[in-house]
Amino acid sequence: MYERSAGGVVINDDKVLILKRKNGGWVLPKGRIEKNETKRQAAQREVFEESGIKAKPSKYLGYSKYNFYANNNLIRKTVYYYLMHTCLTTNLKAQQEEGFVKACFVEYKKALELLIHNSERTMVVNAYKLRKD
């Protein structure tokens, strides 16, 4: 089975948005691409749903691929990431229904320390390089 998701590295005042799961792990906002939705649209929607932030995708950062098991089925997942900047609101609200307990903006180095996935750390590094272009 294949899954496609999209998400974002949201930067506001030189800080990056990260989410804390119930299990304590910190991640970037991301989620499944819905039918008839572009990767860019999915990234924008997922960031809003998971954090309450309205952010606009500006540049494509790349993708990560990984496999995992769910209900004894192998899932092959691809996640597409975008550099995003906040729009009007920066009122954070973690989506508890998806298992998030906190959403916050943290300094670049702190984000790299807290994120649990190497691929997400790579996306943050890429975002900070590209934002200066």
Side-chain angles (χ1 to χ4, degrees), residues 73-132:
N73 293 314
L74 175 63
I75 310 296
R76 299 177 191 276
K77 187 165 188 164
T78 303
V79 184
Y80 304 92
Y81 290 95
Y82 291 85
L83 169 60
M84 301 174 80
H85 302 282
T86 55
C87 294
L88 300 174
T89 180
T90 55
N91 296 327
L92 295 167
K93 184 176 185 220
Q95 186 182 33
Q96 294 180 1
E97 303 82 26
E98 291 287 327
F100 298 112
V101 296
K102 186 173 184 178
C104 60
F105 283 100
V106 298
E107 299 290 338
Y108 172 79
K109 288 184 179 180
K110 187 70 172 176
L112 296 180
E113 288 174 22
L114 292 173
L115 289 169
I116 60 173
H117 301 297
N118 286 332
S119 61
E120 292 188 352
R121 285 191 287 275
T122 298
M123 293 304 160
V124 170
V125 169
N126 292 347
Y128 272 78
K129 287 178 187 173
L130 280 177
R131 75 187 167 92
K132 296 177 183 177

Side-chain angles (χ1 to χ4, degrees), residues 1-120:
M1 178 183 217
Y2 294 93
E3 280 187 14
R4 293 177 349 122
S5 292
V9 177
V10 182
I11 297 175
N12 184 56
D13 290 334
D14 212 37
K15 294 181 179 178
V16 64
L17 172 67
I18 60 175
L19 305 169
K20 186 176 186 180
R21 294 195 162 281
K22 286 180 186 175
N23 68 6
W26 291 89
V27 297
L28 294 173
K30 63 188 169 297
R32 286 188 186 156
I33 300 171
E34 295 180 357
K35 188 177 180 179
N36 299 322
E37 186 176 50
T38 67
K39 294 178 275 198
R40 184 179 291 265
Q41 289 168 333
Q44 191 169 16
R45 177 184 51 77
E46 286 292 339
V47 165
F48 178 70
E49 287 178 1
E50 293 184 349
S51 70
I53 292 292
K54 290 190 178 184
K56 183 178 180 181
S58 63
K59 296 179 183 175
Y60 177 68
L61 294 172
Y63 66 90
S64 65
K65 288 187 174 199
Y66 56 91
N67 300 330
F68 64 95
Y69 283 91
N71 300 322
N72 292 324
N73 293 314
L74 175 63
I75 310 296
R76 299 177 191 276
K77 187 165 188 164
T78 303
V79 184
Y80 304 92
Y81 290 95
Y82 291 85
L83 169 60
M84 301 174 80
H85 302 282
T86 55
C87 294
L88 300 174
T89 180
T90 55
N91 296 327
L92 295 167
K93 184 176 185 220
Q95 186 182 33
Q96 294 180 1
E97 303 82 26
E98 291 287 327
F100 298 112
V101 296
K102 186 173 184 178
C104 60
F105 283 100
V106 298
E107 299 290 338
Y108 172 79
K109 288 184 179 180
K110 187 70 172 176
L112 296 180
E113 288 174 22
L114 292 173
L115 289 169
I116 60 173
H117 301 297
N118 286 332
S119 61
E120 292 188 352

